[in-house]
Each structure stands twice: as C-alpha cells, then as structure tokens.
Amino acid sequence: MGLLDDLRADRRAAGELPRSGADKQQPALLLIPDISGFTRFIEESGSVQAPFLVADLLEILIEANTLNLQVNEIQGDAVLFYRLGPPPPVAELVRQCRRIYLDFQNYLRIVARDTGSELAAALHELALTLKIVVHYGRVSVARIREYTKLMGRDVIVVHRLLKNNITGSEYILLSEGYLATQDLAALRQAFSWTRLLPGATYYEYLGETPYHYASLSPLRLLLNSPEIDDDVPLGRGCALKVRRALRVPAPYAVRLITNFRLRPRWMEGATAVHYDVTKAGRLGTSYKVDVFGGQIDFQAVQQFEDEDGRLEYVEKISHFRLFPNSLLFYGIEAVTLDACLVTIELRYGHIASPSRLVRFGQLRRLHRFLGRSLHNLAELVEKR
C-alpha cells in the first residue's frame, strides 16, 4: 500500500472519508453572496473601521439564513453556503436571496446615516452592494481534520460564475443546473418583481456556460419598509416598539442607556454584563449580557443627533437565532429641559421558525420584554 493509500485509510478510520471504494457525490445547492466593491472599499476608504464593517456585513449574510444552509467557507468578501439534498423551490430560494440583500442594505443604511463619521463618508463615495450566485449540482464532501471541504466540478462552476459578463453589480445569477430543476411557470411567478434575463460566459476548461440573472435593484424600494411576516399586522413591518416618558434630561437618559455597566439594573432578566472596560463608550464595541439563564451579544453601532435634536443610539444583536439580524434602536427626544420621551424599537429581518404559533408567541414575549425593560429604566432614573 502506498503513502496516499495509507493516508486515505487513516482518514476513513477517523470518519473523514466514506468507507466505500470511491468518494460518493451528493446533490447539493451551492449559494454564494459576494460583496461587490469590497477591494476598492478596503483600499480607498481610509477608515480603520472598514475591515470591521466588512466583518459585520459577512455576519449579516450568515444570519440572514432562511433555508437552513450550511456555511462551508468565508472567502474574504463572500460566503459559500451549501445544502445537501433536493433543490429548494424557486419561490423559497428567491425569498432567501431577497432577505440576504435587504438585511445587507439596511445595515449599510444605518451606518451611512451618521453623516459626521469617516466610515459613512466612505460608504457614500465607495458604494458596497451584493451579487448572489446560485448553482445546483453534485459535490463530494470530505472531512479534513475539523473542517468540511466540498470538492468536485460543480464547486468550480459556482466560483467561476462569480466572474461573468453581466452588467451591474447587484443581481441574482441562477445556473442552468438549478434552473433545470424548476418549473417555468414557477420561475416567472417568483421573479414577477424584476426581469429574469438569459446570459452566458465562456470559461477555460468549462466552455460556454449559460445562466439566467435578475437585477436586485428593484428591492431598494423596500429598504425603508421591510417585507412583512405573515403573522405581523399590516403596517407594523418587522419591528416591535415601546415608548415612555422619563423625568430626566435627554442627555442624561442617553448616558444611562449607553452605559454597559448599568444594563443589569434595568434590562429585564439581566444578571451580569461582560465587556472590555478599556473600549467602553466606543462605537463598534461588543459586550455580552447574561439574561434569563442565557446570553445576548450586543454591539454598539451608531450614535448621532438629527436636525430636530432627536438623539439616537443603535445596537446590533448578534447570534439571536430566533430573530436574526436584529437591531435595537433607542430614540430620545427632549420634551422639556428635565424630561424626555424614550422609544425602544427592535427591528429584525425575519423570525426563524416555520410555526405561525411560535412566531406569534415569541413576538408577544419580546414585546413584553421591551416594555418591562423600559419600565425598569424609568424606575432607575427616578432613584437618582
């Protein structure tokens, strides 16, 4: 037995290769969201925060997962997702792509609103957007130590399709491998909001490779009014909001809300907070709060004052599995010199449960959590 055979035998013994003779290929959906303008943004933005913003955006892409996709690789400015088994219906696939695009763009808009920051200026000048490539084919799955590696011709195809002849930088590209699995009428209905156009690119060794593509730009009309879940009454969108008057000046309320150390004193169910004290008060700082026996990860994203004097502080919630890509908005408006109106609004991409009953119940619980937290905050300021 040669060295290669010995290595393969050792890998099979460790469960990293199938024990049958040849490596078996499996049908799989391959999906790559790729950030357009990434390299130029990193090189020309001049902001030390640029790499951290891109890391946040990659996390946004991962959390926007509605199809139970697995992450195979994070490749600088792109994520390779896969799902073994039969292909999803085109309506579900398009819904997934829309969710990825809208969550990505909405997060960029939040960062870009802070007109006084260097990062916001760079975003206005060096636009970032998204293209999504979808392919369906067959892959070999190998375990190499603790990593899962996808191999085969179709893995090469999906990567090559990122470089194509399409004009523009925000679109969905569907390979012929995926299109062949879908009904023509279903395709037309799923893309009724845009145009599905034919295209092809020649690749060395692969030859002329046909595909269809559709612009994502029409979705920009939805950025200020998120797509609505079935269980949320029309007009509310993907958001929960509570509001209360506090008998303290607005700047003082901001200091209380942005003070990480005080979170356990007013956030409902919170018992402890963990953060790097040397970074407290900086935008981009992350911290963890122990809540109801679990833990929630927060990150300070933005703080600014608008033209009407309204103060706003925004936090991103990470790894909140039931409400992916959640953002917590604190709005503080001065009513008098010694009183202000505080609004806490949670905005989320979608609710990660197929059960309508679970979604409804979780929305009620979360709304109650926000209301009690704001009530506790009011009690805290009255004790000052």
Side-chain angles (χ1 to χ4, degrees):
M1 185 180 291
L3 177 61
L4 183 58
D5 293 327
D6 290 341
L7 289 171
R8 289 171 64 84
D10 290 342
R11 289 176 61 202
R12 285 197 182 92
E16 296 171 357
L17 280 178
R19 294 187 177 275
S20 57
D23 296 347
K24 292 185 176 179
Q25 289 196 321
Q26 304 178 61
L29 176 78
L30 303 172
L31 186 148
I32 302 181
D34 178 85
I35 302 175
S36 300
F38 166 83
T39 303
R40 185 185 176 205
F41 181 76
I42 292 294
E43 293 296 326
E44 299 183 18
S45 67
S47 172
V48 295
Q49 292 181 306
F52 300 101
L53 173 64
V54 173
D56 286 345
L57 290 171
L58 290 170
E59 186 175 321
I60 291 287
L61 301 182
I62 292 170
E63 289 201 11
N65 184 356
T66 62
L67 283 180
N68 195 28
L69 303 168
Q70 302 297 314
V71 175
N72 181 245
E73 290 181 298
I74 299 175
Q75 303 162 326
D77 58 351
V79 181
L80 172 58
F81 290 103
Y82 74 101
R83 193 178 87 174
L84 300 176
V90 66
E92 293 181 11
L93 178 72
V94 170
R95 193 176 301 122
Q96 170 68 91
C97 293
R98 287 164 66 106
R99 174 51 51 209
I100 289 173
Y101 178 80
L102 288 172
D103 285 359
F104 177 89
Q105 292 291 355
N106 276 323
Y107 188 70
L108 281 179
R109 285 200 165 197
I110 289 167
V111 177
R113 284 190 314 169
D114 188 359
T115 53
S117 78
E118 184 182 63
L119 190 60
L123 280 173
H124 285 295
E125 183 178 351
L126 306 167
L128 291 175
T129 189
L130 204 63
K131 58 185 177 186
I132 304 172
V133 172
V134 179
H135 180 52
Y136 187 73
R138 301 186 68 82
V139 300
S140 296
V141 184
R143 289 288 297 171
I144 302 174
R145 295 186 180 271
E146 68 270 27
Y147 304 102
T148 299
K149 181 67 176 176
L150 300 182
M151 295 179 291
R153 181 182 185 276
D154 287 304
V155 180
I156 297 172
V157 169
V158 74
H159 281 96
R160 292 286 186 89
L161 286 170
L162 288 168
K163 305 295 183 182
N164 52 60
N165 297 328
I166 299 173
T167 302
S169 54
E170 49 182 34
Y171 54 82
I172 304 170
L173 183 154
L174 302 178
S175 74
E176 289 297 295
Y178 177 75
L179 290 169
T181 68
Q182 302 299 309
D183 177 71
L184 183 58
L187 282 166
R188 287 173 178 164
Q189 183 175 359
F191 285 96
S192 59
W193 50 278
T194 185
R195 294 179 64 197
L196 191 60
L197 302 171
T201 301
Y202 178 85
Y203 302 103
E204 190 175 9
Y205 304 117
L206 296 178
E208 191 76 5
T209 304
Y211 47 76
H212 278 66
Y213 65 96
S215 173
L216 288 165
S217 299
L219 294 180
R220 289 183 176 272
L221 296 173
L222 299 175
L223 289 177
N224 291 327
S225 54
E227 292 181 291
I228 297 170
D229 283 343
D230 293 338
D231 54 351
V232 181
L234 189 64
R236 279 176 52 190
C238 297
L240 295 171
K241 184 186 297 186
V242 294
R243 182 173 292 172
R244 188 184 181 103
L246 301 185
R247 289 182 286 185
V248 291
Y252 183 79
V254 173
R255 290 199 298 273
L256 284 178
I257 291 169
T258 57
N259 188 330
F260 301 158
R261 182 177 57 84
L262 295 177
R263 282 300 166 96
R265 297 185 60 184
W266 60 269
M267 181 170 282
E268 181 72 6
T271 55
V273 62
H274 313 277
Y275 62 97
D276 184 344
V277 294
T278 65
K279 298 180 180 179
R282 300 183 197 169
L283 293 181
T285 301
S286 298
Y287 67 101
K288 301 177 184 292
V289 180
D290 297 338
V291 180
F292 296 123
Q295 195 170 74
I296 301 179
D297 293 10
F298 295 92
Q299 180 187 25
V301 173
Q302 187 184 76
Q303 182 175 340
F304 75 102
E305 181 175 352
D306 65 20
E307 296 176 351
D308 298 323
R310 184 177 185 272
L311 304 169
E312 187 169 270
Y313 171 62
V314 185
E315 293 183 334
K316 179 178 180 291
I317 307 176
S318 301
H319 314 303
F320 194 2
R321 295 188 63 183
L322 198 59
F323 293 88
N325 285 338
S326 300
L327 293 161
L328 204 54
F329 289 74
Y330 296 89
I332 301 96
E333 302 173 63
V335 178
T336 66
L337 290 177
D338 298 313
C340 63
L341 185 65
V342 174
T343 302
I344 302 179
E345 181 176 357
L346 180 92
R347 300 181 191 174
Y348 55 93
H350 65 281
I351 306 174
S353 172
S355 168
R356 185 184 181 91
L357 186 60
V358 169
R359 296 198 300 269
F360 180 75
Q362 290 299 328
L363 282 171
R364 293 191 64 179
R365 287 182 60 190
L366 197 53
H367 191 264
R368 189 161 54 244
F369 166 80
L370 295 175
R372 288 176 176 172
S373 295
L374 187 52
H375 173 78
N376 296 340
L377 181 63
E379 288 190 337
L380 175 64
V381 301
E382 289 176 1
K383 295 176 182 177
R384 72 185 181 108

